[in-house]
Amino acid sequence: MKVIRLHPGKDRSLLRRHPWVFASSIAKGGADSGETVRVESADGQFLAWAAFSPASQIRLRVWSFEQTERIDAAFFAARLRVALERRRALGLDLTACRLVHGESDGLPGCIVDRYADIVVLQAGSAGIERWKAVIADALQDLLPGTRLYERSDAALREREGLPAATGWLRGGGDTLVEIAENGLRLQVDVATGHKTGFYLDQRDARARFADLVRTQRLQRVLNCFSYTGGFSLAALAGGAEQVTSIDSSAPALALAAQHVARNGFDAARTTFVDADVNATLRRLRDTGAQFDAIVLDPPKFAATPQQVERAARAYKDINRLALHLLPPGGWLFTFSCSGGVSAELFQKIVAGAALDAGADAQIVARTGAGLDHPLSLHFPEGEYLKGLLLRRS
Ligand code: SAH
């Protein structure tokens, strides 16, 4: 077993059970991509078993802090079983669910989402890449009758020095499946959809939005960055009269339009705009349009810490423009999924946007990802998604 020795004092975050070690903390030692190593403090004390990522700034990701643990096929099967049990115990519908949420489930770099009978694996670290076949077998054992598709094409693969990898790992056939969410029927294409196919993390926010539309009897809804129409369908289910969806992805909008028909809603209640959100919000402002509720669920504007400042300006811009389109009493459900933008910073950005728009608003609720995206106490980076439900005064 290869040993990695840390610089003096660099054992602190591991002692607090944070699962990452940066390259700059390492004094000596090396290993192959994804190889399991023994991590020691400067004075030779055992700290953890970890996977080595030679190309990444996050050089080590911890598998276990227990010295007696063996990192083998049984270890991965056990971690996967625990992740599934955790969700079963919470009463979640496991057929449209994130089954494994990386670090927060003790499997750094491992994302597993399930859509109907397709399980999608994203191997985002050298360690998971190395154990991929073992993980695939364990998932097939734990979830009999499912097919397994790989979507390891996220940008983070590059930072790990790994090429993109997509396609069937077990089974095959059509990559388009139907899931049920909050009583609605949605189609997910695991080969061509964003991320692993769908934004499961907004399930609870979409349910909340349907409730809001219903209880407040909101009629005119604008859904910005609609993707395949999750929030649009929620608004229709809540009884909205007119729902406008904006997205720059034509295939996503095509699926959104299909979802309207599939769920039995009248297409006359919907408008789809294939365009840039920022430009469209400006145009709507110039024409004096008004909405009772607006959803702003943009993609990750800051992918790295260096991009946070520019991202802050982009978030401020769209929030300011959206506030212009709301009459007093109107609702704004606004989100950031940038890990580098904290909840506190996001609130400041939105407050700045309100000042610039000359509009005051109250925070009625704060939201985050659902229970299938657990948060580890020791890994605050896992809290990437934050939402603010605001009411304009
Ligand atoms: N709210 C969605 C998820 C949104 S993901 C849901 O509930 O499923 C972000 C979406 O923003 C993607 O569909 C992407 O195509 C779209 N997008 C990214 N940049 C855009 C832009 N500048 N203008 C319009 N849409 C954009």
Side-chain angles (χ1 to χ4, degrees):
M1 180 68 60
K2 290 176 186 160
V3 174
I4 304 290
R5 186 68 67 91
L6 302 188
H7 285 300
K10 293 297 183 188
D11 51 357
R12 235 172 284 145
S13 73
L14 288 185
L15 292 172
R16 284 209 216 91
R17 303 224 154 195
H18 191 284
W20 292 351
V21 176
F22 287 91
S24 57
S25 299
I26 295 176
K28 67 171 192 233
D32 293 337
S33 183
E35 193 177 348
T36 303
V37 295
R38 179 187 156 99
V39 189
E40 293 183 352
S41 61
D43 57 0
Q45 296 298 308
F46 170 87
L47 293 169
W49 302 113
F52 193 77
S53 291
S56 173
Q57 277 313 300
I58 305 172
R59 194 58 49 91
L60 299 170
R61 288 181 175 80
V62 171
W63 295 131
S64 172
F65 294 99
E66 303 302 326
Q67 193 163 358
T68 53
E69 191 119 61
R70 282 176 61 93
I71 311 305
D72 54 12
F75 166 84
F76 287 96
R79 286 273 160 109
L80 293 169
R81 194 177 321 110
V82 168
L84 294 188
E85 280 310 319
R86 200 167 272 159
R87 287 155 178 81
R88 267 195 201 106
L90 291 169
L92 295 169
D93 169 8
L94 297 193
T95 63
C97 190
R98 172 150 297 187
L99 300 178
V100 181
H101 189 44
E103 278 77 354
S104 304
D105 278 305
L107 288 171
C110 184
I111 298 295
V112 181
D113 288 339
R114 178 168 174 185
Y115 305 108
D117 75 325
I118 305 184
V119 176
V120 185
L121 170 68
Q122 187 188 87
S125 65
I128 295 297
E129 178 67 22
R130 191 157 175 127
W131 290 96
K132 196 155 75 183
V134 162
I135 291 169
D137 286 342
L139 285 170
Q140 290 276 281
D141 275 356
L142 289 164
L143 300 161
T146 60
R147 300 176 280 158
L148 184 63
Y149 196 85
E150 177 173 21
R151 276 298 296 273
S152 303
D153 52 352
L156 49 95
R157 289 274 293 191
E158 273 171 46
R159 273 176 261 151
E160 288 286 301
L162 301 169
T166 58
W168 289 108
L169 291 174
R170 302 287 186 271
D174 199 350
T175 55
L176 187 71
V177 280
E178 183 178 290
I179 59 167
E181 181 191 82
N182 304 322
L184 294 163
R185 297 164 64 190
L186 294 159
Q187 286 173 292
V188 177
D189 192 326
V190 300
T192 59
H194 296 179
K195 302 212 288 185
T196 62
F198 187 62
Y199 295 88
L200 286 168
D201 51 4
Q202 289 284 39
R203 181 198 312 106
D204 291 359
R206 288 186 287 258
R208 183 186 273 271
F209 190 61
D211 272 355
L212 181 82
V213 169
R214 187 176 304 114
T215 55
Q216 303 290 323
R217 300 174 191 278
L218 305 177
Q219 298 303 332
R220 299 161 301 173
V221 171
L222 178 63
N223 180 13
C224 302
F225 308 99
S226 67
Y227 189 48
T228 56
F231 282 100
S232 307
L233 292 169
L236 292 168
E241 203 166 86
Q242 196 57 48
V243 180
T244 304
S245 311
I246 314 173
D247 203 284
S248 56
S249 160
L253 287 178
L255 211 46
Q258 277 186 39
H259 286 156
V260 172
R262 211 178 183 83
N263 287 281
F265 298 119
D266 184 354
R269 292 165 69 195
T270 61
T271 308
F272 296 98
V273 183
D274 177 357
D276 174 64
V277 163
N278 200 298
T280 309
L281 289 175
R282 284 171 203 278
R283 182 175 60 73
L284 289 168
R285 181 195 58 188
D286 295 344
T287 59
Q290 296 271 280
F291 297 90
D292 302 311
I294 300 177
V295 177
L296 283 181
D297 185 21
K300 186 159 59 182
F301 283 161
T304 63
Q306 294 75 34
Q307 294 168 357
V308 168
E309 219 175 288
R310 211 188 54 200
R313 281 196 295 278
Y315 284 121
K316 190 173 172 187
D317 248 9
I318 53 170
N319 280 279
R320 177 176 49 78
L321 289 166
L323 283 161
H324 277 303
L325 304 179
L326 288 176
W331 297 83
L332 176 61
F333 208 0
T334 184
F335 300 92
S336 163
C337 61
S338 300
V341 175
S342 66
E344 196 189 356
L345 175 59
F346 185 52
Q347 187 176 322
K348 272 194 193 137
I349 293 167
V350 176
L355 269 184
D356 284 5
D360 201 6
Q362 277 78 49
I363 298 174
V364 177
R366 296 169 197 279
T367 68
L371 295 175
D372 52 344
H373 294 60
L375 278 179
S376 159
L377 266 178
H378 311 295
F379 185 65
E381 290 85 346
E383 189 175 12
Y384 65 99
L385 179 62
K386 34 256 154 190
L388 291 173
L389 177 61
L390 302 170
R391 184 166 206 208
R392 211 196 134 158
S393 351

